[in-house]
């Protein structure tokens, strides 16, 4: 009988192997290094933050990458990860060169030395958005503290606005998310959580306001059947990032391209999109990790032990 530590190590190695096979599959087992050419485009992977599907989130960002291609002849192959963890591992395993993260998913990639900031979208001189907690009107839940004894849907456990900030709001309301909630569901995306709320599978759901408004506009949520019971402090917009291993000249070219994409000829304002698929004014490339400092304070309050306990409750 192998000791538990050895078994755990073997299981971990097995998971890494399985994950590596998956990453190879999603890149078509390409061995040729990407160089931004049409035949070997830079590989982009996006967190499944909104649409939660290849067609949803990819469609949000394809216009701006197409615009960059038109002005620079740099080509991109855009994919959406199956989970936030997939995107973190993809850039840290050199499977992709560009990734789109929330603050909570960027942090571990940065700490591993895999990713650095490229650009963040700006609209009306703002680069922030909000997380929310929403309840079915028929549940008579009016405040965050009222959700005690009710069920809730979170998105991905690495999501800033569909997990970390909502959990922090619940704690701030004086509740223990593990013991005071009746049931927890981890749906994997904002859209899935809002769909679960709409279908009555849960009493409460957590998602960004952008995703909430998009769900209303798409008819997934009936605005008259749902109430907003919690709104977060401003959250730094999810940043586009690039591999730290890219050559300096490539990094500089990408930053310049995103900085000027809104000024390019033959590019309409409607092509410049950002978080949630919303039209934005421009991209800011003069950014540092300081812009994420407010989010990192909130993230640090949702400890890894708390996250693990929430996931364990969701798996019961």
């Amino acid at each position: 009988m192998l000791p538990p530590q050895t078994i755990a190590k073997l299981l971990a190695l097995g998971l890494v192997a399985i994950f590596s096979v998956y990453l190879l599959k999603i890149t078509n087992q390409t061995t040729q290094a990407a160089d931004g050419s049409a035949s070997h485009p830079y590989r982009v992977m996006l967190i499944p933050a909104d649409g939660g599907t290849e067609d949803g989130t990819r469609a949000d960002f394809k216009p701006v990458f197409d615009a960059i291609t038109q002005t620079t002849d740099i080509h991109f192959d855009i994919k959406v990860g199956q989970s936030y963890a997939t995107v973190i591992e993809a850039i840290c395993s050199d499977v992709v060169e560009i990734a789109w993260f929330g603050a909570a998913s960027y942090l571990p990639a940065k700490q591993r030395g895999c990713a650095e900031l490229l650009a963040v979208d700006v609209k009306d001189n703002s680069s922030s958005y909000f997380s929310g907690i929403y309840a079915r009107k028929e549940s008579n839940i009016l405040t965050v503290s009222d959700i005690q004894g009710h069920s809730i849907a979170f998105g991905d456990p690495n999501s800033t606005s569909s997990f970390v900030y909502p959990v922090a709001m619940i704690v701030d309301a004086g509740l223990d998310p593990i013991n005071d909630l009746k049931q927890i569901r981890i749906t994997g995306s904002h859209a899935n959580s809002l769909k679960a709320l709409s279908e009555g599978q849960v009493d409460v759901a957590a998602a960004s306001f952008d995703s909430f408004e998009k769900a209303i506009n798409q008819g997934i949520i009936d605005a008259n059947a749902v109430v907003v019971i919690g709104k977060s402090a401003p959250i730094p917009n999810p940043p586009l990032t690039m591999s730290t291993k890219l050559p300096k000249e490539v990094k500089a070219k990408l930053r310049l391209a995103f900085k000027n994409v809104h000024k390019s000829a033959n590019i309409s304002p409607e092509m410049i999109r950002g978080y949630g698929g919303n039209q934005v004014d421009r991209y800011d490339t003069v950014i540092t990790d300081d812009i994420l400092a407010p989010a990192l304070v909130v993230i640090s309050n949702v400890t890894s032990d708390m996250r693990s306990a929430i996931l364990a409750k969701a798996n019961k």
Side-chain angles (χ1 to χ4, degrees):
M1 185 74 170
L2 295 172
Q5 295 87 346
T6 302
I7 294 175
K9 187 175 181 179
L10 290 173
L11 286 173
L13 289 172
L15 289 173
V16 168
I18 293 170
F19 198 72
S20 298
V21 169
Y22 169 72
L23 291 178
L24 284 173
K25 181 180 179 181
I26 62 175
T27 54
N28 296 321
Q29 298 185 338
T30 297
T31 55
Q32 173 69 47
D35 57 10
S37 64
S39 57
H40 300 103
Y42 285 129
R43 298 159 296 184
V44 181
M45 188 174 286
L46 314 172
I47 53 173
D50 201 354
T53 65
E54 183 81 9
D55 291 337
T57 307
R58 182 176 180 274
D60 290 343
F61 279 87
K62 190 174 184 302
V64 73
F65 280 99
D66 285 348
I68 297 290
T69 298
Q70 289 183 33
T71 56
T72 65
D73 201 33
I74 296 176
H75 295 260
F76 304 94
D77 177 20
I78 306 173
K79 288 183 168 58
V80 178
Q82 291 189 338
S83 69
Y84 287 55
T86 301
V87 183
I88 295 169
E89 289 303 322
I91 198 164
C92 287
S93 301
D94 301 327
V95 169
V96 303
E97 288 74 37
I98 297 174
W100 180 58
F101 290 125
S105 45
Y106 166 66
L107 181 61
K110 169 185 160 49
Q111 291 175 331
R112 291 167 63 179
C114 310
E116 62 184 77
L117 295 175
L118 168 59
V120 65
D121 63 79
V122 180
K123 184 176 179 59
D124 298 331
N125 294 317
S126 174
S127 293
S128 62
Y129 70 114
F130 297 90
S131 170
I133 301 179
Y134 318 93
R136 293 174 60 82
K137 189 171 289 184
E138 65 187 22
S139 67
N140 294 319
I141 298 172
L142 300 177
T143 68
V144 175
S145 59
D146 291 341
I147 69 175
Q148 184 171 13
H150 290 275
S151 56
I152 186 170
F154 294 111
D156 189 289
N158 286 305
S159 168
T160 307
S161 55
S162 70
F163 186 89
V164 177
Y165 268 73
V167 168
M169 283 192 278
I170 291 169
V171 173
D172 287 343
L175 299 180
D176 177 348
I178 295 99
N179 296 312
D180 289 338
L181 298 177
K182 178 182 178 182
Q183 181 189 14
I184 293 175
R185 290 191 58 185
I186 304 295
T187 68
S189 74
H190 301 247
N192 288 344
S193 293
L194 293 170
K195 186 172 186 289
L197 179 68
S198 175
E199 295 177 349
Q201 299 174 23
V202 292
D203 302 314
V204 177
S208 73
F209 266 76
D210 297 74
S211 298
F212 180 62
E213 291 171 359
K214 192 171 187 176
I216 290 175
N217 293 334
Q218 293 177 339
I220 297 172
I221 286 279
D222 179 359
N224 295 317
V226 175
V227 293
V228 179
I229 62 170
K231 184 175 183 179
S232 74
I235 306 171
N237 276 350
L240 283 162
T241 70
M242 53 189 170
S243 169
T244 54
K245 295 181 180 178
L246 281 174
K248 287 183 179 179
E249 60 272 21
V250 172
K251 294 177 184 176
K253 191 171 184 178
L254 287 171
R255 285 197 172 100
L256 184 63
F258 275 93
K259 176 185 176 182
N260 293 323
V261 64
H262 65 291
K263 302 176 183 177
S264 302
N266 302 321
I267 294 176
S268 65
E270 292 78 14
M271 294 176 67
I272 312 302
R273 303 294 181 88
Y275 178 59
N278 297 324
Q279 184 177 330
V280 298
D281 299 329
R282 61 184 176 86
Y283 273 82
D284 181 5
T285 59
V286 187
I287 53 175
T288 68
D289 290 330
D290 290 343
I291 70 165
L292 298 175
L296 299 185
V297 171
V298 176
I299 292 169
S300 65
N301 292 331
V302 180
T303 66
S304 58
D305 287 346
M306 181 185 296
R307 190 191 307 257
S308 297
I310 290 173
L311 295 179
K313 183 180 179 72
N315 288 329
K316 285 183 179 178

